[in-house]
């Protein structure tokens, strides 16, 4: 079982078997990352478009550093680091791992080159696959964590490339556009009613989960209803036309200050042309699909829209209870390299297309305990000032999601595939 360098002409298979061994799982994840980055030049992979985003080259190296540091270094006797300089360059935020390069200056790492990063990946892949049969259970658990960690970076890789290419005046596409689907505008969203009462949320049982999804615990729901689909581009255009971005009554104070300070008047990547609203995506700039979910909106925008629509954002508990009866592997999610775009809903779906803002702060569940050691910094240290998103997006690798999954971002951030589903009290 080996991993070779990936070129545009030799892209590997990306489908993951339902019951893959840990080694097969590792290979599939690593190959998909390389395949997603295959169209990039060294320059594409080096530039950093903003502090929130990282260069593609850094993503390729950081995910490799994770396996080298927490598995090979800590569990393989006599292992020697591939390059003593790489921990400083490619550590992200692990204080327990020492000093690191400043996040805002990752785009200054012109060397090592992209090809040298691929050589680093090949070396670590070979060493890990060789050691895997002899690794103890704790180390194998870290390999599983590393695979899920890399899947998160696959989505970040795509959204960071999108943000980077959007800064280029010629707006280059990463992939050719797929054939346009007929724009069938859906009718008003239906509602799923819930009578309220005690409900259980959080992960419990077999299968992987991040620590922030645990422990499973009871919560009390008030009677409410949640929409069967997310808000569409067409509905968002109506919000804009009705003065949604210029009416302070719809906005939280911090959100209104953000709108005025940043001059926000539409979702990220939207632009008004003489023919109407257009949107830039990984397949270039095209007219918005009025039936597709609106995406690249902040929490502030989602909350303002909900106010305008005489509704509210769902709590994460309401969302999880509603989603728990739906197939988390269904929906429009990432399967292989190619155009990544939200699609019009064909029926009630809670997974894929866009991450959905909730009204819940990202805080620990009752009884939460972070893991011991450096990996304990993975989620717990970020439980301040951020809001929970649920559901996954068209850039989330299929098989990565579950009803208990908790994503989280700061309320002003919108470079991810973020959208909104409405809720209301009954």
């Amino acid at each position: 079982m080996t991993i070779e360098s990936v070129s545009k002409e030799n892209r590997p298979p990306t489908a993951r078997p339902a019951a893959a061994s840990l080694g097969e799982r590792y290979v599939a994840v690593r190959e998909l990352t390389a395949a997603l980055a295959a169209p990039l030049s060294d320059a594409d992979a080096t530039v950093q478009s903003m502090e929130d985003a990282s260069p593609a080259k850094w993503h390729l190296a950081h995910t490799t550093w994770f396996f080298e540091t927490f598995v090979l270094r800590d569990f393989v006797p006599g292992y020697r680091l591939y390059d003593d300089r790489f921990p400083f360059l490619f550590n992200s935020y692990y204080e327990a791992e020492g000093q690191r390069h400043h996040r805002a200056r990752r785009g200054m790492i012109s060397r090592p080159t992209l090809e040298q990063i691929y050589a680093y990946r090949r070396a670590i892949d070979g060493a890990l696959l060789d050691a895997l049969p002899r690794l103890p259970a704790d180390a194998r658990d870290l390999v599983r964590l590393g695979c899920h960690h890399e899947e998160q970076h696959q989505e970040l890789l795509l959204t960071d490339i999108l943000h980077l290419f959007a800064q280029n005046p010629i707006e280059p596409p990463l992939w050719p556009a797929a054939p346009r689907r007929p724009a069938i505008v859906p009718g008003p969203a239906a509602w799923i009613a819930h009578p309220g009462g005690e409900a259980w949320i959080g992960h419990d049982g077999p299968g992987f989960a991040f620590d922030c999804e645990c422990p499973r615990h009871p919560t009390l729901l008030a009677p409410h209803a949640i929409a069967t689909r997310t808000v569409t581009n067409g509905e968002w255009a109506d919000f804009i036309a009705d003065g949604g971005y210029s009416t302070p009554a719809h906005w939280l104070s911090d959100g209104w200050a953000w709108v005025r300070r940043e001059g926000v008047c539409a979702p990220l990547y939207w632009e008004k042309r003489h023919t109407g609203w257009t949107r830039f995506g990984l397949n270039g700039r095209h007219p918005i699909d009025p039936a597709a979910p609106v995406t690249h909106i902040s929490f502030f925008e989602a909350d303002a829209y909900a106010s305008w629509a005489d509704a509210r954002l769902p709590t994460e508990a309401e969302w999880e209870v509603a989603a728990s009866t739906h197939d988390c592997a269904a929906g429009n999610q990432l399967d292989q390299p190619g155009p990544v775009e939200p699609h019009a809903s064909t029926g009630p779906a809670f997974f894929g297309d866009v991450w959905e803002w909730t009204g819940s702060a990202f805080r620990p569940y009752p009884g939460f305990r972070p893991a011991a050691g450096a990996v304990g910094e993975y989620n717990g240290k970020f439980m301040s000032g951020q809001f929970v998103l649920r559901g996954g997006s068209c850039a989330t690798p299929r098989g990565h999601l579950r009803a208990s999954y908790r994503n989280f971002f700061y309320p002003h951030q919108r470079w991810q595939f973020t959208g909104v589903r409405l809720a209301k009290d009954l």
Side-chain angles (χ1 to χ4, degrees), residues 17 45 64 66 74 94 142 156 166-167 176 185 187 199 220 225 250-251 267 311 315 331 334 343 388 398 401 405 413:
T64 306
F66 187 98
D74 291 351
Y94 295 93
L142 287 168
L156 289 169
Q167 312 315 306
V185 179
L220 186 63
H250 299 319
W251 295 81
T315 68
L334 178 67
H343 293 159
V388 173
R398 193 176 306 278
L401 297 172
Y405 198 107
Q413 292 176 319

Side-chain angles (χ1 to χ4, degrees), residues 203-215:
H203 180 81
D204 181 26
F208 176 87
F210 290 110
D211 58 1
C212 65
E213 301 172 52
C214 303

